[in-house]
Structure formats: structure tokens, C-alpha cells
Amino acid sequence: MVAMMGWGVAEQQGWRKGPWTPEEDKLLNAYVNFHGEGRWSCVAKCAGLNRSGKSCRLRWVNYLRPGLKRGHITPQEEGIIIELHALWGNKWSTIARYLPGRTDNEIKNFWRTHFKKKEKCTLKQEKRKAQILLAKQQQPQEQQQQQQLQEDQNLKIRATPQSEASQGDNINMITDHEAQARQENNMDLISSSYPNLEGDQYCLPALMNQGSVGSWADILLGDEGLYMGRLWNLDDEHVNGRNISLSQCNKSAMQNQAAAVTAFSSGGDYSNTFYNGGYIF
DNA sequence: AATAAGGACAACCGCTCCTAA
DNA sequence: TTTAGGAGCGGTTGTCCTTAT
């Protein structure tokens, strides 16, 4: 049985499988550098590799391709991954486009290990959530009204033109109607990405610059593994056009919002972009 | 010191999408 | 318009290494 055989052995069709040897890498590298990428099934034959085209492509894309970054995912990259995953879900290749030097495989692996961690936190989160909800219910009505007032004022500040925040970049304000429509979509997306969160707790703080946290995962989960802050919502259309418009998707705030937009260019300082966008958490 | 658990990484598999004939 | 082959994508699994017990 092929499936029962280990790696590094020949398959029935004669293709070699398993880890690549330095010699194979050298052959593939030389061939692709000379002929360019593509026609992977030809590569396998012409380069003298006893590998399937798929295997060659994968090896090139994930390991041999020039410009690949090595080493751990940085907190910056981590933040981008979390953000984009909240928007797109498991669209690893799409996410990878915004992380120069990182492959979809790498990001996928990264997410998996972190997702496992998150699953372990679930029980703890549930407990903490219950505590917070209880505290909320017990909060005096007057205090809640004051909080709402404060939130509305913050919204006004955020909705002001942001020429200073996004100089030279496309600004795209969305209407209340659009915001609401988007909210519905995004809430679904976010709910599926963060199933343990309450509707009014979707949030992503930009605390990285404050030095109080070690990573974006720390921010997202907080001390008790509970997500804190505000989650940003990236607009797909603008992502594809290189500029990402951001609309805030706090549930109550979204109903009134004229969302702020800030630009994102791949490889740029992402957290700074948020922070400079006039959004202070 | 031994071993179990977990993390990181590499690679394969099956499916879908794209494109050229 | 259809179809077949190639390419790409996401899910899954295997292996190695490190850390905790």
C-alpha cells in the first residue's frame, strides 16, 4: 500500500517522494533559474528529477524561491495574519500575498499551532466571559448611559476627515447603509473566526507600540485568554487594489459610523498605520 | 536520564480553478 | 461550447527537535 509507505521512497508511478536531498534542490534550482517558473510537469522530466510536477512546484514555492524569509513569524506579521484571517478565513495564499517572503504553507502552519493554543484556552475564556457578562448586568444604568455617550463622542472624533492620517492614499468613507450591510457580513466572518466572542467584544487594539504586550496574540487573548479591544475590518475590494479601507465593526458603533479609512501598503508598518489613523484604543 | 507532549516545519493528497485547444 | 491538462489552494499528516515531567 502506497499510503502505508513512509516518505523518501519511490511511489508506484516511479515518482520519488519524501524529503528533498541537497542534490535535488540544486537540480531544481538550476533548472528554474534558467527556464523560469511554470510547466512543472516538464521541470520534473527535464531537470532530471524523479519527482512529480506538483512536488517540484511545492518545493520551489515553499523552500527554494528567492526572497523567502526564514525564521519565526514576527509580532507584526502575526498581527497581519490575525487581521486578514478574521476577514478572509483560511485563504492562506491570499493572506500570504500581504506578507512578503512568507508562504501560504508557513502561515497555515503558524495559524494551526496558534489555533490549537486557542482551543486550549476556550474553557478559561468561557469562564471569564461569564464573569464579564455578569458584571455588565450588574452595572448601574446611569453608568451604562454615560459609557454610551462617551462611545458616541469617540465615534465623532473617528469620523472626522483624516488627511493627516492617510496622506497621499485613497480615502474611502462608507455610508451608514453600507456599514450596516458590511457589518452583517463581517459579523458572520468574525463570528466564525472567533467563535468564543460576544458580539460587542469584537475588537483589536493597537497596543503593540505601547510596549505592554509581547505579541498580537497576547493582545487578542488578554490575560485571561479573552479578546479585548476592537477588531478592524478590512475591505476586500481595496485590499485587492492595494489600498485597504478599514471600517470599525464594533456592533453598536457600526450603526452610526462613518468609517475611517487608512491605507495599507504591503510590507509597511501595519500597526502604525492603524494607530496613525486616528484610532486610539 | 528517560520519555511524553507539543511546536515547527516539510511534504503529500485531493479538490477546484484556469486556460488553451 | 466543451474538455483535458496544468496549476494552485487548503487540508492533513509525518518527522524532527525542544521542552517539560
Side-chain angles (χ1 to χ4, degrees):
Chain A
M1 293 281 282
V2 172
M4 298 296 283
M5 295 164 80
W7 285 353
V9 295
E11 217 187 359
Q12 277 171 338
Q13 301 96 319
W15 297 126
R16 217 187 97 80
K17 293 172 77 174
W20 280 65
T21 63
E23 289 73 28
E24 287 176 312
D25 281 345
K26 214 180 278 180
L27 281 172
L28 180 59
N29 216 352
Y31 186 90
V32 176
N33 281 330
F34 191 76
H35 294 94
E37 294 181 42
R39 313 296 300 175
W40 293 107
S41 54
C42 287
V43 173
K45 291 175 199 156
C46 304
L49 288 160
N50 193 22
R51 295 272 185 176
S52 70
K54 267 188 171 188
S55 184
C56 291
R57 179 190 155 271
L58 208 66
R59 182 64 178 173
W60 174 259
V61 167
N62 287 334
Y63 196 82
L64 298 174
R65 192 173 46 157
L68 289 180
K69 273 187 197 168
R70 296 259 158 246
H72 289 124
I73 302 282
T74 66
Q76 201 82 48
E77 291 170 322
E78 196 178 321
I80 295 172
I81 292 168
I82 291 165
E83 286 280 348
L84 297 183
H85 187 273
L87 177 67
W88 292 317
N90 298 354
K91 300 285 178 192
W92 306 118
S93 59
T94 310
I95 294 171
R97 283 186 205 124
Y98 293 89
L99 291 163
R102 300 292 186 188
T103 68
D104 53 353
N105 209 31
E106 214 174 349
I107 294 166
K108 184 169 59 182
N109 284 332
F110 172 78
W111 185 265
R112 270 185 66 79
T113 52
H114 276 245
F115 189 70
K116 273 182 185 170
K117 270 186 200 169
K118 209 175 75 175
E119 271 180 343
K120 279 170 67 180
C121 291
T122 301
L123 276 175
K124 222 175 172 185
Q125 287 177 40
E126 289 299 327
K127 198 178 158 189
R128 177 74 178 138
K129 252 172 62 182
Q131 284 175 354
I132 285 176
L133 283 175
L134 191 68
K136 235 181 174 179
Q137 281 167 8
Q138 288 168 351
Q139 199 176 24
Q141 208 181 357
E142 194 184 329
Q143 207 177 326
Q144 286 185 26
Q145 281 172 349
Q146 204 155 5
Q147 213 169 40
Q148 181 62 45
L149 192 69
Q150 182 65 48
E151 205 168 290
D152 290 345
Q153 281 175 347
N154 287 344
L155 260 181
K156 280 177 192 166
I157 293 166
R158 288 167 185 155
T160 54
Q162 302 183 30
S163 51
E164 72 280 3
S166 47
Q167 292 159 346
D169 291 310
N170 293 346
I171 294 176
N172 184 10
M173 305 298 280
I174 65 174
T175 65
D176 289 352
H177 179 70
E178 282 175 306
Q180 198 157 3
R182 287 180 189 184
Q183 182 198 3
E184 277 160 21
N185 280 338
N186 289 319
M187 281 305 167
D188 288 341
L189 261 174
I190 293 157
S191 304
S192 60
S193 300
Y194 300 99
N196 300 315
L197 302 177
E198 283 300 307
D200 58 357
Q201 289 173 349
Y202 298 126
C203 36
L204 179 66
L207 292 171
M208 292 306 293
N209 293 335
Q210 298 177 13
S212 57
V213 287
S215 74
W216 285 77
D218 292 338
I219 293 170
L220 287 167
L221 296 177
D223 291 336
E224 296 290 331
L226 186 71
Y227 192 54
M228 345 176 288
R230 295 197 190 308
L231 178 66
W232 291 89
N233 163 25
L234 305 176
D235 182 336
D236 199 11
E237 295 161 41
H238 294 85
V239 167
N240 291 334
R242 262 185 64 91
N243 289 313
I244 296 178
S245 71
L246 301 167
S247 56
Q248 198 180 13
C249 57
N250 176 296
K251 223 173 187 176
S252 57
M254 279 289 283
Q255 281 154 13
N256 309 321
Q257 85 166 317
V261 173
T262 188
F264 166 73
S265 55
S266 56
D269 190 343
Y270 196 67
S271 62
N272 254 354
T273 304
F274 287 147
Y275 200 74
N276 293 341
Y279 289 71
I280 299 163
F281 298 88

